[in-house]
Amino acid sequence: MTDGTGALTGIRVLDLSRFIAGPLCCQILGDMGAEVVKIERPSGEDARKHAPFHRKHSVYTMVYNRNKYGATLDTRRPEARALLEDLVRRSDIVVENYRPGTMEAMGLPYPRLQELRPGIILVSISGFGQTGPLARRALFDAIAQATSGLMSLTGPPDGEPTLTGTYIADHIAGFHGAMGAMLALLHRDRTGHGQHVDVASLDALFASLGTRPSAYAMLGEHPRRNGSRDLLTGPANVFPAADGYVYIHAGTDPLFPRLCGAIGRQDLADNERFSTVPGRMANIEELEEAVAAWTKGRPCDEIAHVLGEAGIPFGKVSEIPEVVESEQIKAREMMLDVDHPALGTLRLPGIPIKMNASPGSVRKAPPLVGEDNDHVYGRLLGRSEEEIARLKSLGVI
């Protein structure tokens, strides 16, 4: 772990979220210096049951919960209300990803939060947002990929719609939640007023579809799955190598002749059918066959050397073990060794936002269930040891 003073030092975040989007939002704020208090029920959040496991503990929860104090609280119990309200009074930001209406059912709608802590910011991350006909419907990442249109664009042209290889909707929603929280902090600094930030996974993913929604809305274009082929220029696709696959992007007018020279096919560069982007896209299958004929008999390292010398953008399609151990990932500190007092050294993804004046840091390993109850309820809220013991005996914390 490293020490440092981040841009959000002095800000306290109350994390009432679970699974990915909300916890990731709070982790980003924690990485940037905020003090994050994560609340989960006494038995632990459901995500702690998700594989894979390291020493019988979920790696899933480790990846999204560093830089947090972990406390337990059964928010359904009447005795929990005073504790929860005291935590709100001491927080700058509350993050929740319950189904819309849950905070109201808990007696903590945003107006009540404002009464407890003037200027407080509430970040609500939900599937469909706080408004609209689907607002109260449950949503998981795969449902967002399906309903946003992303799944219809992913996969081979003649195959079934396909999920991405990660929980992309949850991640994008988490990023937007963190950005919304920081924008709300800036607004509060300027005006003294907090606000309710409403982030929907569907909205966040839909906004990431690039030109497709506007192309339909303005031009009537109905986009289809395109596999790994670039939509606009070519040749730009995945090509087979002797020992794997390589993505090559040489679709622009300056790059295409360079590629032709590199693979010994000057005849393609001299052919007027391929001299422009529209021409190449009209004959893309023929071009891709020519490139594949060159790549498939060569190992990835040889392809990389030739294309690198020619200045052609390329990338080996790497397996996860290769990426984790790559020199670039190491140089960027994107895999960190984090010491955990009970679980030993954890290897977790690093901080992607690099700041030279107020860098983020990993100051605390992901907490075990209720690991910091004494700190949160004793030091932060001022409850006595006897009171904490009583609350534990009652199953409130």
Side-chain angles (χ1 to χ4, degrees):
M1 289 188 290
T2 59
D3 295 322
T5 300
L8 297 181
T9 298
I11 298 297
R12 182 174 292 129
V13 178
L14 179 58
D15 181 2
L16 302 179
S17 65
R18 64 262 195 263
F19 297 112
I20 296 177
L24 176 59
C25 167
C26 295
Q27 179 170 277
I28 293 169
L29 302 177
D31 286 349
M32 293 297 115
E35 178 187 346
V36 181
V37 176
K38 177 181 177 63
I39 299 296
E40 54 189 316
R41 60 192 181 197
S43 59
E45 68 164 295
D46 288 341
R48 290 189 180 271
K49 301 182 180 71
H50 291 183
F53 297 98
H54 170 72
R55 297 187 178 180
K56 300 182 179 181
H57 291 271
S58 172
V59 175
Y60 182 104
T61 54
M62 294 177 190
V63 168
Y64 303 109
N65 288 291
R66 67 179 175 226
N67 284 332
K68 300 181 184 182
Y69 291 101
T72 54
L73 185 65
D74 186 347
T75 57
R76 298 166 297 181
R77 301 282 294 271
E79 301 92 334
R81 179 63 178 268
L83 295 171
L84 192 55
E85 291 193 346
D86 272 359
L87 287 168
V88 170
R89 290 187 182 96
R90 289 163 174 78
S91 299
D92 299 283
I93 302 170
V94 175
V95 177
E96 58 92 7
N97 62 351
Y98 301 123
R99 200 178 302 190
T102 302
M103 290 292 285
E104 287 78 3
M106 293 168 59
L108 290 174
Y110 184 58
R112 176 58 180 159
L113 299 183
Q114 290 177 302
E115 292 175 2
L116 295 168
R117 175 73 155 87
I120 198 165
I121 294 160
L122 172 63
V123 178
S124 296
I125 303 176
S126 61
F128 295 99
Q130 303 297 305
T131 59
L134 301 180
R136 302 216 172 195
R137 183 170 151 188
L139 179 140
F140 288 96
D141 187 283
I143 308 301
Q145 293 191 44
T147 57
S148 68
L150 175 62
M151 193 184 293
S152 75
L153 303 174
T154 308
D158 55 352
E160 295 181 351
T162 306
L163 283 170
T164 63
T166 188
Y167 298 109
I168 190 68
D170 287 338
H171 283 84
I172 292 178
F175 302 151
H176 280 78
M179 182 167 58
M182 288 184 276
L183 290 171
L185 281 174
L186 180 61
H187 175 81
R188 192 180 72 175
D189 286 346
R190 291 174 172 174
T191 68
H193 300 296
Q195 60 186 297
H196 187 181
V197 179
D198 173 10
V199 173
S201 292
L202 178 65
D203 295 353
L205 198 54
F206 180 77
S208 303
L209 297 181
T211 61
R212 273 63 163 236
S214 292
Y216 167 73
M218 294 191 292
L219 306 174
E221 293 182 2
H222 187 173
R224 304 294 184 182
R225 288 184 294 284
N226 205 44
S228 298
R229 179 184 291 162
D230 188 86
L231 294 170
L232 304 176
T233 64
N237 207 338
V238 171
F239 296 93
D243 57 351
Y245 294 88
V246 176
Y247 198 99
I248 300 173
H249 199 305
T252 66
D253 289 341
L255 287 174
F256 179 64
R258 287 192 220 165
L259 176 66
C260 295
I263 67 174
R265 292 296 306 270
Q266 187 61 38
D267 59 302
L268 297 175
D270 295 337
N271 190 324
E272 64 179 15
R273 291 191 300 136
F274 309 134
S275 62
T276 65
V277 171
R280 289 194 294 277
M281 294 306 288
N283 299 280
I284 192 62
E285 288 83 6
E286 181 180 348
L287 281 179
E288 289 180 345
E289 287 176 6
V291 177
W294 179 79
T295 61
K296 65 184 180 182
R298 292 170 170 78
C300 290
D301 286 348
E302 179 183 337
I303 295 170
H305 175 74
V306 172
L307 297 182
E309 289 290 312
I312 304 297
F314 72 93
K316 179 184 177 184
V317 179
S318 301
E319 300 288 336
I320 295 299
E322 296 176 86
V323 183
V324 169
E325 301 301 334
S326 72
E327 292 304 315
Q328 182 66 21
I329 290 296
K330 291 177 181 177
R332 296 290 293 173
E333 297 183 327
M334 284 308 299
M335 285 299 296
L336 299 177
D337 291 338
V338 179
D339 294 329
H340 193 287
L343 304 179
T345 299
L346 309 178
R347 298 201 70 199
L348 302 176
I351 300 171
I353 303 171
K354 313 297 184 185
M355 301 179 68
N356 73 318
S358 55
S361 62
V362 179
R363 305 171 303 283
K364 190 177 184 302
L368 302 178
V369 178
E371 177 180 303
D372 301 299
N373 275 349
D374 290 344
H375 172 87
V376 171
Y377 296 119
R379 182 175 175 184
L380 181 57
L381 298 190
R383 299 302 198 268
S384 67
E385 292 182 9
E386 293 76 17
E387 176 65 5
I388 293 172
R390 186 184 73 84
L391 292 169
K392 287 180 181 178
S393 69
L394 293 174
V396 177
I397 65 175

